Amino acid sequence: MKRGFLNSAKSKAIRLGSDAGYGSSSTIGAPSMPTPDLSSSGTETVILPANAAPDEPVTVCFFWPGSKEVLMKMPGYPKPLRKVSEPTFRVGEAGSKGLGLFATRALSQGELIIDEQPLLISVRGVPVAVPAMLNQEQTTKYQLREFEKYLEVVLKKMRPADREAFMSLANSHLTDGSGPIAGRIRTNSLGLDGLCPAMTGPMAQYSSVPHYISRMNNSCSPNTTSNFHDASISYTVYAARDIAEGEELTLSYSDVWDTAANRQQTFKPYGFVCACDACRDPISSDRRRAKIRAFVPSVRMWAVNRSLPDDWLINKCLEQIALLEQEKLEGEVALPCRD
Ligand SMILES: [Zn+2]
């Protein structure tokens, strides 16, 4: 489930997966060229914040026209990154999952772990005139190849250390026609949709690639919660529950309210099968999650029905809390709510 951003104060960070519009027919339109001129595609590359000192983080933004202006007019822009008092995480080996982030100390529920500007925010495709007679697969590969040429120009704008960090990220799109840059975006990016509220379709959709948050592995019971903040152009990650020193920090690559079987389909493009507690016991977990999702805490329902005991509503809520704790979904608060 992709969530909008900039339409609201913050949006949840969520992985994009393979359906993010790369190489989609919607990118067809203008001529391609051997050495791309970004302005001819209607795009521009800007570095934000524009006045950052050399030791301050920046984001290279590959934007559709108008996005920069929208972002720079956001209340509070440019807001400094939130400070984390002591180091909270390290990058380490996570077994078959490759690298991951691990807590360097005990973290309390609600504690800020990271506030990070992405290395890159990018459009998900550029207008490309596709030669006739190509089938669908060839068309997609052609579009991806052309997109890569643009991305090469964009990446040259990155600071060398940031470019090195970007290219050190994993790439699980080695055989589908994605170039090394697009492949890394598709593997690691978080969706930023709705950057320009006046725009619709592909022009309202971006991918973003943070350095450290990109390293976080999936769990369907994530112990962190992540949001994007427009004024600071950054993602915050908070502890969704108490986290022990040495515990791996996780986020969800899928909609945690989806069934275990559907979630595994979402993970396929990333090349892994999730083996979290919820996925190891899918029948019980799916049942509990469906029950949580169906719950509507209605005060009115209790108030108008005099046959219900005084503690009916509170007991319903306590039951929900128990289910949420059992499923380890303390950070997932986007439930249907009434009254
Ligand atoms: Zn799982």
Side-chain angles (χ1 to χ4, degrees), residues 196-210:
C196 286
M199 295 177 180
T200 56
M203 291 184 78
Q205 299 170 344
Y206 286 101
S207 307
S208 67
V209 184

Side-chain angles (χ1 to χ4, degrees), residues 13 105 111 135 172 198 229 231 244 281 297 318:
R105 58 181 171 82
E111 191 170 347
N135 62 30
S172 63
H229 302 268
D281 185 10
L318 289 171

Side-chain angles (χ1 to χ4, degrees), residues 218-221 260 263-264 267 272-280 289:
N218 172 74
S219 170
C220 305
S221 301
R263 294 198 304 269
Q264 296 293 0
F267 304 143
F272 71 90
V273 175
C274 185
C276 73
D277 290 348
C279 288
R280 281 204 304 267
R289 288 179 189 221

Side-chain angles (χ1 to χ4, degrees), residues 4 43 54 66 84 111 140 148 164 167 193 240 266 302 304-305 312:
T43 54
V84 177
E111 191 170 347
T140 300
E148 187 74 11
E164 194 178 323
M167 293 307 291
D193 293 351
T266 307
W302 168 76
V304 300
N305 188 342
W312 177 83

Side-chain angles (χ1 to χ4, degrees), residues 277-288:
D277 290 348
C279 288
R280 281 204 304 267
D281 185 10
I283 294 172
S284 304
S285 174
D286 282 357
R287 195 184 306 126
R288 282 192 291 266

Side-chain angles (χ1 to χ4, degrees), residues 88-90 100-107 113 219 221-224 241-250 328:
T88 53
F89 71 91
R90 66 176 174 82
L101 297 194
F102 295 85
T104 50
R105 58 181 171 82
L107 300 165
I113 301 173
S219 170
S221 301
N223 59 11
T224 70
R241 53 183 176 268
D242 290 349
I243 298 172
E245 180 180 343
E247 190 177 334
E248 184 172 4
L249 303 175
T250 56
K328 297 181 182 169

